[in-house]
Amino acid sequence: MAELTTTRLNAESHLLLDQALLRLPCELVRKNFKTSQRIVERDRDNVVDTLRASANASLAGDSAPQSIKALDSMIAKMQGLKRKLDGLHEEEIRMHKHSRKRIQHLQDLYDIPSLADVKYEEWSRIRLNRLLVDHLLRNGYGESAKALAAEKDITELVDVDVFLQCHKIERSLYDGRTQEALAWCNENKQALKKKLSNLEFELRLQQYIELVRSGQTHKLKEAIRHAQKYIAPHRDTYSAEVDKAMGLLAYPVETRIERYSEMYSASRWSYLARLFVSTHHELLSLPEQPLLHIALSAGLSSLKTPSCHSAYASSSSNASSSTTSVCPICSTELNDLARNVPYAHHTKSYVENDPVVLPNGRVYGRHRLLQISSQIGVPTGQVRDPTTGELFEESKIRKVYIS
């Protein structure tokens, strides 16, 4: 019964890491629907206006060629609308296909009864490949991510296109361009407004700064017009930033006044790139951290104990140690990585049935301690700490009682 409990698979806890797997397709379908709705409403109004104008012109006795020309224009607009909707419909079909594939992938986990089942190993391998692709995409290795997804046949389980677009816009900001990011803001204007995002304001502010930076008279005039159109309307929301922006007109690039020199600083482009990525991920319900980091942190935390980062973690870090730790956290590869993660919460402790404490405060089983000391040739009447290598008189060992 104990073994069955240990190997029973809890699918719900596994799926805590995979919420974004279904959230993102839903967000993309919602965005696609909103785009279709906006296009239909806009083109519908244009067609109705054209049709009404044609009808009125016909009743007023205008010539037939003019009416036919107006109707041809209306038909062309309808054909253009149909092409746009066909493209959006194909995109929606692709999204639904990805969603079905992902739902089936998660359902496969519920069909696995035990952690010892070979199917669980296969499922875990697929998830690991997904996490690796996600990690590559977030770090800008788009081609490597696409190649790995294609090789492992998990293209429909990862979001390559979304991250490639995000990385492209992020790179444009690092290169000092705002056009791509502003176009993205325009596509997602309503969603950004609901979330009270300051991304578009910061991008417009950066455009203003670049106009002022030139110092040329015509550019300064353009900067004033730009500020009146895009910055001044936000005075109630970003009053401090607007005041600083207006004061910037009076200070050159080489100013030493900190509040204005930081606006001229090239580091603002890095700030804008980070702001865009965080806004993009929030809008699409994507975690800020790579899923691989989250999984690693959870795994490391579950194994970490206070002794993992002591000075005597294992024989690899202490030549006098007479034992070799098999703890992954104590290994050279993972020790530093786990240093800042929290300790696991253990509801049960496992100790030997004859615990004793040495003068240095370390606790061992008495039988194992004497056995190791005998095997390594410690003089009779003494014991050696297997971890630190210290020697103590056997009479100084004290019995430990667990309460």
Side-chain angles (χ1 to χ4, degrees), residues 357-395:
V357 60
L358 296 177
N360 63 0
R362 304 185 76 85
V363 177
Y364 302 95
R366 181 183 182 87
H367 175 73
R368 186 169 69 92
L369 183 65
L370 295 177
Q371 183 182 44
I372 292 175
S373 297
S374 174
Q375 289 175 349
I376 60 179
V378 174
T380 305
Q382 291 184 322
V383 293
R384 182 178 179 180
D385 188 325
T387 302
T388 67
E390 297 173 272
L391 287 173
F392 299 102
E393 295 296 329
E394 188 175 346
S395 59

Side-chain angles (χ1 to χ4, degrees), residues 297 300-301 304 309 329 334-343:
S297 297
L300 294 174
S301 180
K304 182 179 176 181
H309 290 97
I329 311 302
L334 297 178
N335 193 258
D336 285 341
L337 191 62
R339 189 171 298 277
N340 295 320
V341 301
Y343 296 110

Side-chain angles (χ1 to χ4, degrees), residues 13-68:
S13 63
H14 278 65
L15 296 186
L16 290 174
L17 193 63
D18 293 311
Q19 294 180 23
L21 191 65
L22 293 181
R23 277 184 180 176
L24 183 56
C26 290
E27 289 294 331
L28 293 177
V29 168
R30 182 189 61 79
K31 179 182 175 183
N32 189 74
F33 173 75
K34 291 292 185 182
T35 302
S36 302
Q37 187 180 40
R38 186 170 62 251
I39 291 174
V40 168
E41 290 176 353
R42 183 191 63 200
D43 286 14
R44 179 199 61 192
D45 293 340
N46 290 337
V47 169
V48 169
D49 291 342
T50 303
L51 186 59
R52 184 181 295 113
S54 299
N56 292 336
S58 179
L59 292 174
D62 286 356
S63 61
Q66 289 182 341
S67 299
I68 293 174

Side-chain angles (χ1 to χ4, degrees), residues 165-285:
Q165 182 198 29
C166 176
H167 182 66
K168 180 181 178 182
I169 299 175
E170 179 190 11
R171 177 50 53 195
S172 73
L173 290 170
Y174 278 119
D175 292 340
R177 303 193 310 274
T178 58
Q179 293 85 350
E180 291 91 334
L182 283 170
W184 183 86
C185 288
N186 187 56
E187 291 176 5
N188 300 275
K189 185 179 291 291
Q190 294 302 319
L192 292 174
K193 186 177 181 179
K194 286 182 180 179
K195 292 186 176 293
L196 304 177
S197 171
N198 66 333
L199 175 60
E200 184 173 0
F201 173 79
E202 291 289 348
L203 292 169
R204 295 297 185 185
L205 179 59
Q206 188 63 39
Q207 287 183 321
Y208 168 81
I209 293 171
E210 297 306 314
L211 290 171
V212 175
R213 187 193 302 274
S214 68
Q216 301 173 12
T217 303
H218 71 283
K219 288 289 186 180
L220 292 176
K221 291 180 179 179
E222 186 179 347
I224 294 173
R225 291 193 296 270
H226 180 88
Q228 291 172 338
K229 183 176 181 180
Y230 296 112
I231 297 177
H234 296 280
R235 176 176 289 278
D236 292 340
T237 309
Y238 307 109
S239 57
E241 290 81 357
V242 172
D243 290 343
K244 282 175 62 177
M246 298 306 102
L248 192 68
L249 286 167
Y251 294 90
V253 177
E254 58 272 11
T255 182
R256 294 185 179 180
I257 300 177
E258 184 177 356
R259 62 184 278 127
Y260 297 113
S261 62
E262 67 183 12
M263 295 184 75
Y264 282 122
S265 173
S267 63
R268 265 192 60 84
W269 289 107
S270 299
Y271 161 72
L272 290 173
R274 293 193 301 271
L275 178 62
F276 166 74
V277 171
S278 64
T279 304
H280 175 273
H281 290 358
E282 181 185 1
L283 206 63
L284 296 179
S285 301

